[in-house]
Amino acid sequence: QVQLQESGGGSVQSGGSLKLSCAASGDTRCMAWFRQAPGKEREGVARIYGGGVTTYTVDSVQGRFNISQDITTNTLYLQMDSLKPEDTAIYYCAARYGLCGAWSLITFDYWGQGTQVTVSS
């Protein structure tokens, strides 16, 4: 059974940085970060496969966010720079044992409980 635990969230001023971590247990080949703001649907932010064999980041955070994975420790990271108020959300770690692909073609079976990121103006 896969278990995921996020950490690293907090409050930061606009333009600041945060680094999120997700400690995982079990087999997790494809991992991703999602976020959900109040009143909005959960959206995929970035995904990674095989420790970086393939990566994808949505347009809204490209150039600002970077996803990485340490296979040895089974830990997922999200480095967030140049944060904006619209990045404020609960960020979730997700995983599946299989290949990564388009958001509409894959489902994530395992989820963490989330970590709050708040960006002030």
Side-chain angles (χ1 to χ4, degrees):
Q1 183 177 347
V2 173
Q3 292 183 310
L4 306 173
Q5 179 64 61
E6 304 95 335
S7 62
S11 298
V12 65
Q13 293 181 323
S14 180
S17 299
L18 285 173
K19 187 174 183 178
L20 306 183
S21 298
C22 174
S25 63
D27 292 325
T28 53
R29 292 286 180 168
C30 176
M31 301 191 72
W33 287 100
F34 287 76
R35 66 184 181 185
Q36 186 170 25
K40 295 184 177 180
E41 294 184 342
R42 186 176 298 183
E43 65 170 344
V45 177
R47 58 179 181 261
I48 190 168
Y49 177 78
V53 174
T54 60
T55 61
Y56 174 81
T57 308
V58 297
D59 291 344
S60 61
V61 304
Q62 283 186 3
R64 300 189 298 118
F65 291 12
N66 179 254
I67 187 170
S68 62
Q69 183 180 30
D70 187 334
I71 297 298
T72 302
T73 60
N74 202 11
T75 304
L76 181 72
Y77 301 98
L78 185 67
Q79 177 66 50
M80 304 183 294
D81 299 319
S82 301
L83 283 162
K84 305 175 181 179
E86 52 262 45
D87 294 319
T88 296
I90 300 175
Y91 284 71
Y92 297 91
C93 176
R96 69 190 302 270
Y97 185 71
L99 297 175
C100 284
W103 299 119
S104 62
L105 299 178
I106 60 174
T107 58
F108 289 86
D109 303 306
Y110 308 101
W111 297 83
Q113 292 187 329
T115 185
Q116 178 71 49
V117 172
T118 302
V119 184
S120 61
S121 300

